[in-house]
Amino acid sequence: MKVLHVITRLQAGAGGNTLLSARGMDPARYEVWIAGVPGGELWEHARAAGVRTVEIPGFRHTLTPADLLVLWRLVRLVRRERFTVVHTHSAKGGFLGRVAARLGHTPVVVHTFHGLSFHPYQSRRRRFLYRRLERVTRRFTHRFLAVSPRVAEQAVAERLAPPGSVQVVPSAVDLDRIPERFDPLARRVLTVPRTRALVGTVGRLDIQKAPLDFVRMAAALHAERPGTAFVMIGDGPLEQDVRRLAAELGVEVTLTGNRPDAAWLVSGLDLFVITSLYEGLGRALTEALATARPVVATAVNGVPDLVEHGATGLLVPPAAPRRAAEAALWLLDHPHEAAKMGRQGQWRVRGTFTPHAMCAALDTCYRDLLGLPPPDREPGP
């Protein structure tokens, strides 16, 4: 079976999830391709893993008149390679990919919701446009997938998918490269003594991740515990704003920039905090739980499906950095309870969010839509 994944940007959570999906399929039964916006380190990882890649010239994250040319290139690709399955991701990639699959007469079209493509922090015009794109291509789709139950519920509530048509396939993480416990070497790389509490986060420094709220949380927590250290792993357009606000509030926050070993560095933290305004599930959050880190997270979109308040971490409202600081302080003041939440979060992730389970679910989905039997079933009379 030839499968084409169409995704706007092969990066961050959705990109990493798509790459794991492509790498994990049985190469004896699947030939997997990925097409999307050029640029980003994950393309090289995909090629190294034997995945066929197509970085489409002119493909951009935002809608432009050049998308007509991108659509034409996608249609040519689909018709030339005669894919059995076109599997789309994200709003723009989902729109162009599903239209191309329709024009190319692809037998099976699957779309994954990694999180809603519109949110309250966008302009009304942009939200309307993305809703229209998703709804227009709804009838071109044979199966919908979602990374969490709440994301599936939101997709149905927004009429992006018919009721009963969304299957939840948890977004996996590469557990083989994530330590199962605190790693002293990661702590030494972060250059913070073990005697100081270290609070950190991982994510792109953009509006979605609300890095300025992390700085405000750090300032409020530092006022209560002056010895606490803070680190932000990632880069993005708000980097200078982060540095400026930290200086204004008088709190020292170390910015490491983008790190390919971010999932490993998290194992050197005492506490992991995300302040996202919206989040499908949160790949960095899943990786932090996999290494048994206590977490504080904003209760947005699919995050409460992963972080159960008081059991696998603490939840706070978005855009409430002082509440996040209070939750972080409680975990630092109650290390035994924090460690227990970290272990319970780890059991949850390592028991559910495995690449094998995700790819097995995709294999079952594709086979079901094509009318094929399970791979271990013997032919009957």
Side-chain angles (χ1 to χ4, degrees):
M1 282 185 275
K2 293 182 73 171
V3 179
L4 172 65
H5 289 273
V6 181
I7 184 168
T8 307
R9 294 185 295 186
L10 191 66
Q11 64 183 42
N17 170 266
T18 302
L19 179 54
L20 275 180
S21 301
R23 287 170 45 193
M25 304 305 284
D26 184 354
R29 299 202 302 270
Y30 290 95
E31 179 185 321
V32 185
W33 295 53
I34 301 177
V37 171
E41 63 181 22
L42 290 185
W43 287 110
E44 287 303 320
H45 291 301
R47 285 187 277 270
V51 178
R52 303 289 295 272
T53 61
V54 183
E55 298 180 62
I56 301 176
F59 203 172
R60 298 288 184 269
H61 175 56
T62 55
L63 291 167
T64 69
D67 289 332
L68 290 174
L69 181 58
V70 173
L71 177 60
W72 177 73
R73 287 171 171 154
L74 270 174
V75 171
R76 285 187 62 196
L77 174 66
V78 168
R79 286 178 172 171
R80 184 183 74 237
E81 297 299 332
R82 298 184 179 182
F83 293 101
T84 314
V85 178
V86 168
H87 189 154
T88 64
H89 311 261
S90 67
K92 184 175 174 180
F95 174 75
L96 294 175
R98 283 183 277 181
V99 172
R102 178 80 166 194
L103 295 175
H105 306 291
T106 303
V108 168
V109 180
V110 177
H111 180 67
T112 293
F113 296 108
H114 295 271
L116 294 192
S117 53
F118 48 88
H119 51 84
Y121 304 96
Q122 288 176 334
S123 67
R124 182 177 300 179
R125 180 176 176 273
R126 189 177 179 87
R127 291 199 304 271
F128 174 80
L129 179 59
Y130 277 114
R131 277 195 184 94
R132 292 301 303 165
L133 290 180
E134 295 272 15
R135 289 172 183 171
V136 163
T137 49
R138 180 176 63 178
R139 63 180 183 275
F140 301 162
T141 315
H142 300 106
R143 183 70 55 83
F144 296 91
L145 307 179
V147 297
S148 76
R150 279 179 173 80
V151 171
E153 179 185 359
Q154 290 171 345
V156 173
E158 291 287 347
R159 294 186 288 121
L160 309 182
S165 67
V166 187
Q167 175 187 346
V168 175
V169 177
S171 179
V173 292
D174 190 355
L175 296 173
D176 292 338
R177 65 188 182 93
I178 300 175
E180 295 188 13
R181 57 185 63 85
F182 178 85
D183 190 334
L185 179 57
R187 183 56 162 256
R188 287 199 292 273
V189 170
L190 293 170
T191 66
V192 176
R194 189 70 184 96
T195 53
R196 295 182 66 188
L198 177 59
V199 178
T201 191
V202 175
R204 184 166 168 75
L205 304 181
D206 59 15
I207 292 175
Q208 176 192 352
K209 304 297 182 180
L212 300 183
D213 281 347
F214 181 89
V215 175
R216 295 182 184 102
M217 176 279 303
L221 181 56
H222 183 262
E224 297 293 329
R225 291 181 63 115
T228 306
F230 303 93
V231 61
M232 302 179 75
I233 303 170
D235 58 15
L238 295 182
E239 180 175 338
Q240 292 307 314
D241 294 321
V242 167
R243 295 184 185 278
R244 190 178 305 111
L245 181 61
E248 290 175 2
L249 297 179
V251 59
E252 183 178 352
V253 179
T254 300
L255 276 67
T256 68
N258 184 43
R259 293 284 301 235
D261 57 353
W264 170 68
L265 286 178
V266 167
S267 66
L269 301 178
D270 293 304
L271 179 63
F272 183 86
V273 178
I274 64 165
T275 54
S276 299
L277 299 177
Y278 56 98
E279 194 79 62
L281 190 65
R283 187 175 192 80
L285 177 61
T286 308
E287 291 174 340
L289 287 169
T291 194
R293 297 302 87 204
V295 302
V296 174
T298 45
V300 294
N301 305 110
V303 171
D305 290 324
L306 180 61
V307 179
E308 184 178 347
H309 185 68
T312 60
L314 296 181
L315 293 171
V316 296
R322 186 162 293 279
R323 292 281 298 275
E326 292 169 356
L329 180 62
W330 190 93
L331 288 173
L332 293 176
D333 286 344
H334 298 81
H336 295 296
E337 290 85 348
K340 183 178 180 181
M341 290 184 199
R343 289 193 300 271
Q344 292 178 161
Q346 181 183 57
W347 295 335
R348 188 168 198 169
V349 167
R350 291 189 177 269
T352 305
F353 296 83
T354 66
H356 175 76
M358 179 178 69
C359 291
L362 292 180
D363 179 60
T364 300
C365 171
Y366 298 161
R367 287 177 170 276
D368 179 50
L369 290 170
L370 289 165
L372 298 175
D376 56 350
R377 179 199 278 177
E378 294 296 329

